[in-house]
């Protein structure tokens, strides 16, 4: 069952992003009112604002949490053409009964982009403290903090140029097949070409390069999200566009021994409207999508390994509605379909019945 509980965010304009931290006990929101709010959950499961500050001079599009191993660190990106890194600092206790004061300090401002910075995301922990940004000028920039104790220095490690403007990006958390795999989407509507691009680190070129394009998705893309890898031998990428897409990426080795990506795309039109955001749960057993229909849809994989909408959460405080599940075969039906019978012998008339 799903319980819908509205939260009064007290933002003065449209909220563009809501992101939980690694443990799911803290939440960050950003808005066109140029502010960022940090929320904490209490023992009763209630959320309250513990920090709020003006972070940019334009609309803030995205916010991202770093892994807690690097401290309480968030990154934001904005229409003002910058991205910023913020760190929570704990002050001294005023008295033994009071809790220490907390405040968020801007550690650096990244000003390399000449256009709006549309997305920002920290890399998986195994790559270190890396930060990727996507811009409307079509450039992905990957920054690295060489000293995690000094977050004021973020030199650019890679710059990847694209012909189309970029609207979103997502890191792959798995090391299987390809290292530093990154996906980006474009919201360009003038060019009828593929709008999802895949990048990876090349040992030969010693830089990140584009390795493939998902040509099946030609509509503007608003969000992409790699699924966490829970032992699969392939990658899953959720894409929000005119419809919802799930892209499966498998490694295929050709006759020359070169490994290439086999891309399979599945389309879902249940929203019947543009899809805005997608995200996965920790084990990638559930996918969540939101759209212009004002609904949050929860997707699960059935016994046939097909993704189906399992529930719909409606806005305005409406309760969840559950999609009818396909009939599951009974044990008797399954046994009759798979059982085999073998002749073991013959019962003659001379054998008495008991």
């Amino acid at each position: 069952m799903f319980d819908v509980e509205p939260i009064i965010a007290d933002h003065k304009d449209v909220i563009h992003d809501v992101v939980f931290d690694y443990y799911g006990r803290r939440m960050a929101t950003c808005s066109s009112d140029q502010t960022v709010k940090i929320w904490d959950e209490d023992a009763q499961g209630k959320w309250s604002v513990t920090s709020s500050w003006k972070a940019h001079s334009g609309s803030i599009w995205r916010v991202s949490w770093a892994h807690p191993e690097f401290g309480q660190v968030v990154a934001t990106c904005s229409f003002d053409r910058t991205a910023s890194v913020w760190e929570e600092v704990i002050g001294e206790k005023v008295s033994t009964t009071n809790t220490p004061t907390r405040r968020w300090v801007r550690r650096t401002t990244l000003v390399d982009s000449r256009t709006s910075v549309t997305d920002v995301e920290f890399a998986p922990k195994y790559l270190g403290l890396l930060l990727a940004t996507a811009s409307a000028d079509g450039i992905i920039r990957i920054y690295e903090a060489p000293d995690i104790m000094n977050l004021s220095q973020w030199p650019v490690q890679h710059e990847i140029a694209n012909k189309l403007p970029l609207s979103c990006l997502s890191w792959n958390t798995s090391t299987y097949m390809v290292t530093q795999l990154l996906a980006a989407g474009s919201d360009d509507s003038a060019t009828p070409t593929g709008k999802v691009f895949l990048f990876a680190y090349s040992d030969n070129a010693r830089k990140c390069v584009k390795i493939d394009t998902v040509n099946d998705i030609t509509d503007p893309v608003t969000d992409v999200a790699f699924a966490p890898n829970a032992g699969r031998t392939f990658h899953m990428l959720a894409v929000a566009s005119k419809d919802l897409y799930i892209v499966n990426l498998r490694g295929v080795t050709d006759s020359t021994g070169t490994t290439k990506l086999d891309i399979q795309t599945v389309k879902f039109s249940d929203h019947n409207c543009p899809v805005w955001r997608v995200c996965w749960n920790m084990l990638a057993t559930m996918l969540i999508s939101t759209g212009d229909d004002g609904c949050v849809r929860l997707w699960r994989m059935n016994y046939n390994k097909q993704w189906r909408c399992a529930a719909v959460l409606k806005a305005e405080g409406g309760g969840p509605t559950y999609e009818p599940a396909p009939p599951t075969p009974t044990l008797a039906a399954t046994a009759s379909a798979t059982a085999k019978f073998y002749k073991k012998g013959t019962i003659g008339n001379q054998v008495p019945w008991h």
Side-chain angles (χ1 to χ4, degrees), residues 134-243:
S135 304
D137 57 8
I139 298 179
I140 295 177
R141 295 176 176 88
I142 299 177
Y143 302 86
E144 182 178 12
D147 182 6
I148 63 174
M149 303 304 294
N150 178 20
L151 298 183
S152 62
Q153 303 296 323
W154 289 82
V156 178
Q157 298 298 313
H158 305 284
E159 278 195 2
I160 314 169
N162 298 273
K163 296 181 180 179
L164 298 179
L166 299 177
S167 58
C168 51
L169 58 82
S170 176
W171 287 95
N172 185 18
T173 59
S174 172
T175 59
Y176 177 72
M177 266 192 321
V178 185
T179 58
Q180 294 192 27
L181 183 60
L182 187 70
S186 172
D187 58 358
D188 178 73
S189 58
T191 307
T193 57
K195 296 298 192 304
V196 178
F197 315 103
L198 302 173
F199 308 90
Y201 182 79
S202 172
D203 293 328
N204 296 330
R206 311 192 81 174
K207 63 179 182 179
C208 288
V209 297
K210 184 167 74 172
I211 59 174
D212 217 327
T213 302
V214 183
N215 295 314
D216 293 336
I217 304 175
T218 58
D219 294 310
V221 173
T222 54
D223 196 17
V224 291
F226 268 111
N229 192 299
R232 297 185 312 274
T233 57
F234 62 96
H235 303 305
M236 291 192 300
L237 176 69
V239 180
S241 181
K242 183 180 178 181
D243 298 291

Side-chain angles (χ1 to χ4, degrees), residues 48 56 59 94 96 183 211 271 287 308:
S48 60
H56 291 271
S59 297
V94 180
T96 57
I211 59 174
H271 279 281
L287 173 65
R308 292 289 182 266

Side-chain angles (χ1 to χ4, degrees), residues 237-290:
L237 176 69
V239 180
S241 181
K242 183 180 178 181
D243 298 291
L244 172 66
Y245 296 87
I246 296 180
V247 182
N248 294 326
L249 307 174
R250 288 180 169 84
V252 178
T253 305
D254 57 16
S255 57
T256 61
T258 304
T259 301
K260 298 182 179 180
L261 289 179
D262 176 35
I263 301 176
Q264 299 175 352
T265 305
V266 184
K267 176 181 175 181
F268 303 92
S269 303
D270 296 50
H271 279 281
N272 293 316
C273 65
V275 182
W276 285 104
R277 289 298 174 88
V278 288
C279 66
W280 301 86
N281 68 341
M282 185 173 292
L283 297 177
T285 57
M286 180 183 294
L287 173 65
I288 300 94
S289 63
T290 63

Side-chain angles (χ1 to χ4, degrees), residues 33-86:
D33 63 6
Q34 306 174 9
T35 63
V36 174
K37 294 180 184 292
I38 303 297
W39 304 69
D40 286 295
E41 185 184 24
D42 60 17
Q44 289 73 36
K46 301 296 182 180
W47 292 90
S48 60
V49 177
T50 54
S51 296
S52 178
W53 70 94
K54 181 180 178 181
H56 291 271
S57 59
S59 297
I60 304 175
W61 304 130
R62 299 288 181 109
V63 60
S64 176
W65 289 89
H67 192 277
E69 181 179 288
F70 306 112
Q72 295 298 304
V73 180
V74 299
T76 56
C77 64
S78 170
F79 181 75
D80 65 5
R81 302 179 295 180
T82 66
S84 297
V85 178
W86 308 82

Side-chain angles (χ1 to χ4, degrees), residues 2 85 92 106 129 183 279 290 319:
F2 301 95
V85 178
E92 296 181 357
R106 189 199 304 265
L129 193 53
C279 66
T290 63

